[in-house]
Amino acid sequence: MSPQPRTQNVTTDAGEARITWFPAPEPRLLLATSHGAGGGIEARDLKTLAAALPGHGVTVALVEQPWRVAGKKMAPAPKTLDTGWRGVWPALAAPGLPVVSSGRSAGARVACRTAAELGALAVLALSFPLHPPGRPEKSRADELLSTGVPTLVVQGGNDPFGRPEEFPAGPYELREVPHGDHGFAVPKKSGLDEAGAMGVLTGAVAKWLAALG
């Protein structure tokens, strides 16, 4: 049985952030992952990974950015999000495990932008927002293509922020959750339920992490 999760508040230059730790009994890696601009760590994919990965030897740290801890409704500018992420990094690195930097949506962009400077082992980008919905010309591909470390994107097949086939070729891997939207919700008519969708996600992530070390 995995140890019980615990929380830790961390002061950053962007305000107070919060880490919820899900320790693995015998950890070999740490997955540090944050939320998007429209929600928190209660997102289905983050909860699923936090529950599943400790059994695979991966401690999970769910990071709440200072704006969420402060109860604000809107995320600040990307620069401020990066500041918050940098501020929690020493606490994430403290256990001495190799750290995989991760996030969903806006949090995925943060992980991509800061991975190299922070010394992340790799990047896991969940629902990477390749472009705003309906605005493919506003591409953010440069952030994904310049992580400088091994990178995995897990993307919903019907994500309006970028479907898998819209992603450019590059030095990263991409796995699709069939029929999934930006939050990995799947329509009933697809024949895939939430448990099935989360199983696809967990399987892809666990296999990729196992190959890292």
Side-chain angles (χ1 to χ4, degrees), residues 33-41 43 46 63-68 102-108:
T33 187
S34 191
H35 49 79
I41 60 171
L46 302 188
V63 178
E64 294 174 84
Q65 281 270 5
W67 68 274
R68 284 287 296 187
S102 175
R104 66 164 288 104
S105 194

Side-chain angles (χ1 to χ4, degrees), residues 118-129:
L118 294 175
L121 173 68
V123 166
L124 170 63
L126 304 166
S127 297
F128 185 84

Side-chain angles (χ1 to χ4, degrees), residues 152-174:
L152 173 67
V153 177
V154 182
Q155 200 78 1
N158 289 323
D159 191 331
F161 287 82
R163 297 185 304 279
E165 62 268 22
E166 296 181 74
F167 279 70
Y172 64 92
E173 299 179 50
L174 191 149

Side-chain angles (χ1 to χ4, degrees), residues 121-148:
L121 173 68
V123 166
L124 170 63
L126 304 166
S127 297
F128 185 84
L130 184 64
H131 57 71
R135 302 290 301 278
E137 74 280 4
K138 297 282 189 180
S139 177
R140 297 153 180 158
D142 58 326
E143 295 177 351
L144 177 62
L145 297 174
S146 59
T147 65

